[in-house]
Amino acid sequence: MDDKKFMFWQKWLTYANVLTVVVGLLVAFAGNSIFFDIHNDYTREVFFQSNEFQSDVLDFKNWLFGIIGGTIVGFHILMIMISENSFKKKELWAYKAMWYGILSWFLIDSGISLYYGAIHNVVIINLVALILIGLPLIATSKEFKKEQR
């Protein structure tokens, strides 16, 4: 892979994580907005079989969304820093760290979501994030295999 292609994928990785930071901020501060109507509707259907969240449940959901949003922001800022520094320098540890981080999140989050019947979370959120971040990791894998030799 030439440097131009590698830089394309490295920037894709950075911008995918920037986009995810924005999503994390929306989760934390706008979890009841139009951006999350579909997710909230499916969540109500799966867990509450009702049209509206009760007031105390909505408060609990908003608190959890704040925590989750903050975690998303922190994790993906770290991914941006790795992408813009060590990943860009083709340091193998950075490549592995990004895979380990995204896969551990995906497997745990998706496994728990599937266990509780929240398939919508896997489809709407998890698979999209895995593809956005996994694609540049797959595309650049040969560059890091060269570094391993």
Side-chain angles (χ1 to χ4, degrees), residues 56-119:
D56 57 343
V57 172
L58 185 60
D59 287 345
F60 183 65
K61 178 202 151 299
N62 291 339
W63 172 65
L64 289 177
F65 266 41
I67 293 170
I68 293 165
T71 302
I72 292 167
V73 169
F75 177 79
H76 290 280
I77 286 174
L78 179 61
M79 295 282 274
I80 292 165
M81 297 303 295
I82 292 171
S83 177
E84 285 296 308
N85 292 286
S86 296
F87 187 92
K88 188 185 280 189
K89 296 175 188 173
K90 300 179 184 177
E91 295 178 15
L92 182 60
W93 77 266
Y95 179 80
K96 287 182 177 181
M98 293 187 118
W99 266 124
Y100 296 158
I102 198 72
L103 287 177
S104 62
W105 158 76
F106 180 83
L107 293 172
I108 293 168
D109 190 303
S110 296
I112 291 170
S113 293
L114 292 172
Y115 177 82
Y116 285 102
I119 297 164

Side-chain angles (χ1 to χ4, degrees), residues 24-65:
L25 290 169
L26 288 171
V27 168
F29 299 108
N32 296 317
S33 69
I34 191 170
F35 299 112
F36 297 99
D37 278 351
I38 292 171
H39 193 275
N40 289 331
D41 289 347
Y42 281 120
T43 299
R44 280 193 301 272
E45 186 179 311
V46 169
F47 293 103
F48 300 101
Q49 297 80 43
S50 68
N51 293 331
E52 298 299 322
F53 289 118
Q54 294 177 2
S55 176
D56 57 343
V57 172
L58 185 60
D59 287 345
F60 183 65
K61 178 202 151 299
N62 291 339
W63 172 65
L64 289 177
F65 266 41

